[in-house]
Amino acid sequence: MPFVHQIIPYSSLSVVGLGKNTGKTECLRYIIKRLSEKQKTIAVTSIGIDGESIDRVTATPKPEIHLEKGMYFTTVGAYYLQKRFTAEICHVEENATVLGKMLTARALEQGQLVIAGPTDTLSLQRWVTNTLQRFPVDICLVDGAVSRLSPASPAVTQSMVLATGAAYSAHLKTLVDKTRFVYDILQLPVASQTVKKSLEHITKGIHIVKEDGTVENVGIDSALTSAQIRKVVALGAERLYIPGMLGNALLQAFMEQKGAEDMCLYIKDFSHIFAEPRTFYAFLRKGGQIRQLRKVNLLAVCVNPVSPRGYHMRSEELVESMEQALGVPVYDIKKIEA
Amino acid sequence: MIFSSVAQRIDGLQYLADKMELSGSRVRRYLLQTPFTYRAETLEKQFDDIEKAVRILDKHVHAPNVLKLSHLFSSIHDIKGTLDGLKTSRVLDEIELFEIKHFASLCRDIRIVCEALDFMENAPACLQEVFDLLDPDETGTSGFYLYDSYSPALAKARKDASLAKAEENTKLWQEATERVLTEELRVRETLSGTLSGMHNLLRNNFDRLAYLEIVFAKAALAKQYGMVRPRVVPLKGAGGTDAALSVKDMVNPVLSDVLATEDGAFQPVSITLEKGPCLLTGANMSGKTVVLKTLALTQALTQFAFFVPAREAVIPLVKDVFLVLGDKQDQNRGLSSFAAEMLELNEIMGVIKKGVPVLVLVDEPARTTNPAEGAAILCATVAFMEEHATRSLISTHYGDLDVQVRKLRVVGFEGEKATGVLDPSAINRYMNYSLIEDKGHAVPKEALQIARLLGVDASFIALAQQFLKKDDDETIKTGT
């Protein structure tokens, strides 16, 4: 039973798909099934309406999530009332969304339901904390939005599973490269304990990190506009903490300046990088470093060799090339289940 | 007349409402809809409750239960929509039924805390009957679903659906789940019908809980601002009571908060007002407007059943409080400040003529027109209030008036020796805001002195002095 035993030590896990039809739903279904067999009590929710409740292109609702008996799930009232199985309402939130109040219920039998929970990182974080506190739950699962990595931020869930597949890219090498890029960002090394301690509580403003671990606020809020970027680069600092967003333009500017090989950039976690693969790798190749304060535990990568447009990749070939490129276990969920 | 409408015309009410720690919009709505009460018994009952709540908050031993109570208050959901639904016999959905059960269980918990605090007279009624209806399996927990035990037909339909699912018989499963939905609807109809019958009980509890929370919030506010229970004098007949209004060491909470941030303190003011009019005179910057505003606030707070910011207060009840500040010009309607003020006074006099007992507080009426007619209008206002025996306080700068009326004067500026230029807050320190009886006809003339201390150009002040009539000259204390 691949990788399920790895989940057990954690109290929260997110499943993120790199694109539509990359098998995220199957992957979640597999995890739920196996964890239930291990007598674990699970709570699940999914990124809400802002995420992908309705596919804006095809207007199809997001897929239903398979629920095992005894599982807790958090969704909005409008979806809850459409269920075709028995469940007990355990908690209702005070504030209503456009789709009714958000509630948490326990499935009294197996069933399927559209799940739409909290919409932003902060409320997801709160959901994980509250759920673990209120109910006898072993693990909280977050069904992440497609191509939005923030729910998998270590600030929300401790561990993650990545789903990728033919639908993301039909060309084997491109698919592997694209996945490799996400993987490399996820696996950026963690900052030293000393640096981590001095930066952890800083949420705003760019800071210079000095040799002895002390920090200095340079009085620049973020580095997004070109004027801000010029100012930040002009600092000429070797070690910088960027608590907000590390954008492509900033990374490009660092990469192009002299002394990039001695640079070390600190970020909160992977979800704060928004860079093109080319810029990202060029910076690293020059010797620059990017370190994160917190790193998510990537437990596995799941692949779906089938694209809805009818393209099939050979499962073994895909799994093998992916494993070679990433160096972590890669699974074809459909194969395992069969 | 409700709190939110009065708060629009009496300064400070909204400020204090915002200072109250309430758990949510449900309670805030209830507060804003509190009626302006002129029944003494109703107010006394509420004052009793606040007094008791203050005693509870004062005792350290009660702290854990008070904390628990505020936690329970914030767990109550706004189920007004559901309760309205019950009133119109709408069929509730599963989530609404859960909310009712959750509400019933919270009422039970709050009763337990009220008992520990010996505050049962304001506890919500016991909703055991409601809880039992929604807990047929006697689990005792607040979770809810449409239990099998509500209906054998529902139980059977669910069993069939489950069997069909296991056998992967889609057609049978669909047929059975349809039956489940039908039976669930039937159960919801029955439950909603029964709960409809208990609508009043639920509604009363919903209101009582808001009331209870507001009582504690008012008590906390009273502690924060050192407020006291006012002694109210009931309305007698149509003309109102003859007793005097008397407030000792009255404080304006808004200003006192502002001054506290500047390391200053509000000088408390005492005042007694008999029936009929009273003039209020005083130098510029001597706080006449503040006295009027604070008095209006004190009267309004009393009649919304709040404690008042003073050391002692005897408040004869009235049916309305009018505060006319003369700042209501409305250029959009083509009204000058004079016109707006006259129309407002006219409206108030209309009310008074009908014999409605009210308190009227007017800040410098007719100050924006020529002094001759202005003084005439002021005298007429005083005469009108006299004729109708309306308790009123009217501030003015006009002297030598042709009316016999009681006068109060703000002691005023005591910094005769002050020289140089002072900033406004320094002038405040030289000001004695106490009120004294004034038997004379003249009004304090300290305008030029104050202007000088504010740093207004000396040659300009000298110029102004030349324009003063000679006999007036002697009364001016220029301090130079």
Side-chain angles (χ1 to χ4, degrees):
Chain A
M1 220 173 289
F3 78 82
V4 164
H5 63 278
Q6 280 174 273
I7 301 175
I8 290 169
Y10 298 105
S11 61
S12 53
L13 169 87
S14 53
V15 180
V16 173
L18 286 184
K20 277 206 171 294
N21 296 301
T22 48
K24 177 167 67 80
T25 309
E26 281 77 20
C27 188
L28 190 68
R29 185 193 165 104
Y30 167 82
I31 292 168
I32 287 173
K33 227 169 151 179
R34 291 295 180 268
L35 283 174
S36 303
E37 282 166 12
K38 290 199 175 281
Q39 311 296 320
K40 295 288 164 194
T41 310
I42 307 160
V44 69
T45 195
S46 181
I47 286 283
I49 354 179
D50 276 2
E52 47 158 345
S53 120
I54 283 167
D55 182 312
R56 291 187 201 281
V57 183
T58 58
T60 46
K62 61 193 285 178
E64 294 183 322
I65 288 183
H66 174 89
L67 301 164
E68 292 287 339
K69 184 178 171 181
M71 262 180 81
Y72 289 86
F73 56 97
T74 300
T75 189
V76 284
Y79 292 153
Y80 181 80
L81 293 176
Q82 303 198 347
K83 70 183 164 44
R84 292 284 196 105
F85 59 94
T86 338
E88 180 186 27
I89 304 173
C90 301
H91 183 263
V92 175
E93 297 286 335
E94 159 90 86
N95 299 322
T97 71
V98 275
L99 289 172
K101 288 183 171 181
M102 197 161 326
L103 61 88
T104 302
R106 191 166 60 98
L108 298 175
E109 58 183 332
Q110 214 183 56
Q112 319 237 9
L113 191 65
V114 177
I115 305 260
T119 50
D120 58 279
T121 315
L122 195 72
S123 11
L124 266 181
Q125 214 175 325
R126 216 173 297 139
W127 175 78
V128 171
T129 323
N130 288 342
T131 305
L132 289 172
Q133 211 171 59
R134 278 190 195 125
F135 310 112
V137 162
D138 295 311
I139 182 161
C140 288
L141 303 184
V142 174
D143 173 29
V146 162
S147 49
R148 227 175 79 185
L149 290 172
S150 59
S153 151
V156 179
T157 51
Q158 298 171 325
S159 58
M160 92 181 264
V161 169
L162 191 65
T164 183
Y168 187 44
S169 172
H171 183 253
L172 181 68
K173 187 171 177 309
T174 321
L175 176 61
V176 171
D177 284 350
K178 277 174 142 182
T179 310
R180 169 78 205 238
F181 172 58
V182 174
Y183 174 83
D184 285 338
I185 285 182
L186 291 173
Q187 299 295 77
L188 282 170
V190 182
S192 74
Q193 277 302 321
T194 340
V195 173
K196 203 170 140 185
K197 257 198 190 138
S198 45
L199 295 180
E200 237 166 10
H201 304 291
I202 301 170
T203 51
K204 253 196 260 168
I206 294 184
H207 286 69
I208 295 179
V209 182
K210 296 184 181 150
E211 282 297 324
D212 57 356
T214 56
V215 293
E216 183 198 335
N217 191 341
V218 298
I220 305 169
D221 277 358
S222 54
L224 303 174
T225 66
S226 48
Q228 285 172 330
I229 289 171
R230 272 198 302 277
K231 264 198 237 168
V232 172
V233 173
L235 291 171
E238 274 188 9
R239 308 204 298 165
L240 272 180
Y241 176 46
I242 296 144
M245 188 177 119
L246 175 54
N248 195 57
L250 180 65
L251 203 58
Q252 178 90 31
F254 280 137
M255 190 264 289
E256 285 167 0
Q257 83 162 343
K258 269 188 188 167
E261 60 276 13
D262 299 320
M263 282 218 76
C264 181
L265 300 175
Y266 294 97
I267 53 170
K268 274 213 133 45
D269 59 57
F270 74 86
S271 65
H272 292 251
I273 296 193
F274 295 84
E276 303 278 334
R278 260 217 322 224
T279 323
F280 176 75
Y281 287 122
F283 179 75
L284 295 186
R285 259 199 310 274
K286 273 191 96 173
Q289 292 182 38
I290 305 172
R291 288 174 186 269
Q292 42 184 353
L293 300 190
R294 263 192 297 192
K295 184 175 166 185
V296 71
N297 296 292
L298 177 66
L299 301 183
V301 174
C302 295
V303 290
N304 179 11
V306 185
S307 114
R309 272 177 287 176
Y311 190 88
H312 279 243
M313 287 185 183
R314 280 183 46 226
S315 174
E316 295 85 2
E317 197 187 340
L318 176 61
V319 168
E320 204 175 298
S321 346
M322 202 66 94
E323 253 173 8
Q324 251 172 21
L326 306 183
V328 282
V330 175
Y331 307 97
D332 178 351
I333 292 294
K334 285 208 172 127
K335 261 267 165 69
I336 299 172
E337 288 211 272
Chain B
M1 246 184 359
I2 57 172
F3 190 93
S4 57
S5 61
V6 178
Q8 280 173 13
R9 50 193 176 90
I10 309 270
D11 279 10
L13 272 183
Q14 192 58 50
Y15 179 83
L16 289 176
D18 293 342
K19 288 273 165 194
M20 291 168 80
E21 273 183 35
L22 301 175
S23 64
S25 57
R26 169 185 63 88
V27 193
R28 199 154 287 280
R29 189 173 63 217
Y30 188 91
L31 174 70
L32 293 181
Q33 284 171 356
T34 309
F36 185 87
T37 312
Y38 38 83
R39 284 174 51 95
E41 313 88 86
T42 315
L43 289 172
E44 296 290 9
K45 200 253 160 204
Q46 299 191 33
F47 289 143
D48 286 345
D49 292 339
I50 298 170
E51 210 160 53
K52 201 162 176 191
V54 169
R55 279 202 299 272
I56 288 171
L57 294 180
D58 276 337
K59 279 206 182 134
H60 196 64
V61 284
H62 291 316
N65 274 323
V66 168
L67 197 68
K68 203 187 272 174
L69 197 59
S70 83
H71 173 73
L72 287 167
F73 283 148
S74 58
S75 310
I76 299 170
H77 289 182
D78 192 351
I79 52 166
K80 188 174 172 291
T82 301
L83 293 178
D84 289 349
L86 282 180
K87 199 174 176 185
T88 55
S89 303
R90 177 164 62 77
V91 177
L92 303 187
D93 67 35
E94 232 176 303
I95 303 169
E96 289 179 296
L97 290 167
F98 167 86
E99 295 265 34
I100 299 266
K101 186 175 181 184
H102 177 65
F103 179 70
S105 106
L106 280 173
C107 285
R108 180 190 57 202
D109 296 347
I110 290 172
R111 278 177 68 83
I112 293 169
V113 179
C114 282
E115 189 146 29
L117 293 173
D118 189 24
F119 210 31
M120 278 313 269
E121 62 271 33
N122 284 302
C126 175
L127 293 184
Q128 197 57 45
E129 207 183 337
V130 174
F131 190 86
D132 289 347
L133 176 72
L134 299 173
D135 188 31
D137 294 353
E138 295 175 29
T139 59
T141 59
S142 69
F144 178 78
Y145 70 103
L146 297 167
Y147 298 89
D148 282 359
S149 42
Y150 280 132
S151 141
L154 174 60
K156 171 87 172 44
R158 279 180 178 158
K159 210 169 178 184
D160 292 348
S162 163
L163 272 173
K165 199 175 188 178
E167 291 166 11
E168 290 184 26
N169 188 331
T170 321
K171 201 170 158 249
L172 258 182
W173 179 76
Q174 253 167 9
E175 183 269 329
T177 47
E178 285 306 324
R179 256 197 302 134
V180 170
L181 288 183
T182 314
E183 292 305 327
E184 283 186 346
L185 175 63
R186 225 170 258 170
V187 170
R188 285 195 287 123
E189 278 166 352
T190 318
L191 291 175
S192 304
T194 316
L195 288 169
S196 260
M198 302 184 213
H199 164 259
N200 278 335
L201 182 70
L202 286 161
R203 179 79 225 191
N204 283 345
N205 259 18
F206 190 64
D207 292 344
R208 279 180 87 131
L209 288 171
Y211 172 75
L212 182 64
E213 187 174 339
I214 287 171
V215 162
F216 273 98
K218 282 177 174 172
L221 195 70
K223 276 171 66 80
Q224 188 183 343
Y225 286 101
M227 295 160 141
V228 296
R229 172 180 186 157
R231 258 197 297 139
V232 299
V233 184
L235 275 173
K236 258 191 233 144
T241 168
D242 289 336
L245 177 154
S246 156
V247 190
K248 277 193 191 136
D249 290 347
M250 171 173 84
V251 169
N252 188 301
V254 186
L255 267 179
S256 137
D257 280 354
V258 172
L259 288 169
T261 62
E262 298 164 356
D263 282 334
F266 187 92
Q267 182 194 338
V269 177
S270 301
I271 189 169
T272 305
L273 282 185
E274 303 288 344
K275 262 192 123 171
C278 175
L279 281 179
L280 175 64
T281 63
N284 297 88
M285 295 192 71
S286 66
K288 297 185 296 298
T289 311
V290 173
V291 170
L292 297 172
K293 281 185 175 176
T294 314
L295 204 56
L297 177 63
T298 303
Q299 182 83 38
L301 282 173
T302 302
Q303 302 204 260
F304 285 118
F306 280 72
F307 280 15
V308 295
R311 193 160 52 83
E312 228 178 274
V314 179
I315 307 288
L317 297 179
V318 290
K319 288 206 171 164
D320 207 342
V321 189
F322 295 110
L323 176 64
V324 185
L325 295 173
D327 55 358
K328 276 205 191 135
Q329 63 173 323
D330 190 340
Q331 282 158 353
N332 295 337
R333 282 172 58 210
L335 279 183
S336 70
S337 41
F338 176 75
E341 183 185 31
M342 284 302 112
L343 289 176
E344 200 179 355
L345 278 174
N346 189 48
E347 215 168 288
I348 295 168
M349 288 190 286
V351 175
I352 294 172
K353 273 191 195 158
K354 283 187 205 145
V356 180
V358 296
L359 174 68
V360 181
L361 306 153
V362 193
D363 195 20
E364 299 181 40
R367 63 163 172 254
T368 51
T369 188
N370 66 78
E373 284 185 292
I377 290 171
L378 173 68
C379 290
T381 311
V382 170
F384 179 89
M385 299 298 169
E386 187 74 60
E387 187 193 334
H388 292 87
T390 300
R391 200 184 312 277
S392 45
L393 185 62
I394 302 158
S395 73
T396 187
H397 281 293
Y398 293 141
D400 299 317
L401 295 171
D402 201 12
V403 281
Q404 282 303 312
V405 65
R406 179 178 172 229
K407 266 198 248 168
L408 286 172
R409 181 163 64 86
V410 183
V411 172
F413 195 67
E414 288 181 336
E416 282 82 4
K417 289 187 187 73
T419 51
V421 173
L422 300 173
D423 63 47
S425 69
I427 291 182
N428 287 340
R429 278 201 291 279
Y430 285 113
M431 218 36 110
N432 181 346
Y433 295 99
S434 311
L435 302 177
I436 49 169
E437 298 282 342
D438 189 355
K439 303 286 185 210
H441 283 287
V443 287
K445 288 177 181 154
E446 293 165 328
L448 286 180
Q449 158 78 335
I450 304 248
R452 186 181 63 78
L453 287 173
L454 284 169
V456 174
D457 187 66
S459 58
F460 176 76
I461 299 204
L463 190 60
Q465 261 163 358
Q466 286 174 23
F467 280 100
L468 277 172
K469 282 183 193 138
K470 204 177 177 322
D471 53 328
D472 272 357
D473 230 3
E474 285 144 24
T475 60
I476 296 167
K477 298 171 278 180
T478 54
T480 45

